[in-house]
Amino acid sequence: AESRPAYIRRLSQTPYENAWWKRQEALCGTPGTVTALPEMTILQLARFVEHISLSSDNNAVLQAFLWPLHNSFLSLWMLIILVLTLLEATWHILQIVVWGARRTGLSLTRVWTHDLNLWQQCI
């Protein structure tokens, strides 16, 4: 996470059209579907906080007050991505165990190397 002075400096140089949270999208689910709802909720709240920060006419006091919220939303978003990735990997493993790799089109090797290995590296 960026420091408070860096956050305030970035906000003072950022027009609303180039807002950082405004450009983010759900990573674990298809945008606009129910699977993206947890991420989209966090992203919408973070966009709202960033909108308040950017529309405050460079009020450094308000921006400094909102800085912890920015970091909290960023941490929460990362946590949601980790949990959803773990749940998806668990679901894939259960499908493979119950139905088999041929029927599901999934393989344990892929789940272990792709999904769970990335999850492990993030921790």
Side-chain angles (χ1 to χ4, degrees):
E2 60 191 338
S3 66
R4 184 172 45 207
Y7 175 73
I8 294 171
R9 190 176 332 110
R10 180 177 60 83
L11 287 177
S12 69
Q13 299 170 355
T14 302
Y16 180 71
E17 299 79 34
N18 294 336
W20 189 81
W21 282 108
K22 189 176 178 182
R23 293 179 285 147
Q24 304 310 310
E25 61 183 30
L27 299 175
C28 290
T30 305
T33 63
V34 176
T35 58
L37 189 61
E39 281 185 275
M40 289 307 298
T41 303
I42 295 299
L43 291 174
Q44 290 299 329
L45 289 170
R47 286 177 187 143
F48 178 69
V49 169
E50 188 173 52
H51 173 73
I52 292 170
S53 294
L54 289 173
S55 62
S56 67
D57 296 329
N58 293 328
N59 185 350
V61 174
L62 178 63
Q63 292 172 347
F65 176 73
L66 294 174
W67 169 70
L69 281 175
H70 167 77
N71 289 336
S72 298
F73 285 133
L74 189 58
S75 299
L76 190 57
W77 187 32
M78 290 186 295
L79 179 65
I80 286 173
I81 291 170
L82 284 173
V83 169
L84 290 177
T85 302
L86 181 62
L87 289 174
E88 181 183 17
T90 304
W91 176 247
H92 287 161
I93 290 170
L94 286 174
Q95 285 181 320
I96 294 167
V97 168
V98 172
W99 301 108
R102 276 192 226 160
R103 188 175 282 177
T104 60
L106 302 168
S107 70
L108 281 176
T109 305
R110 182 201 163 278
V111 173
W112 287 112
T113 58
H114 183 261
D115 297 338
L116 293 178
N117 190 27
L118 291 175
W119 190 82
Q120 180 186 10
Q121 289 175 3
C122 291
I123 294 178

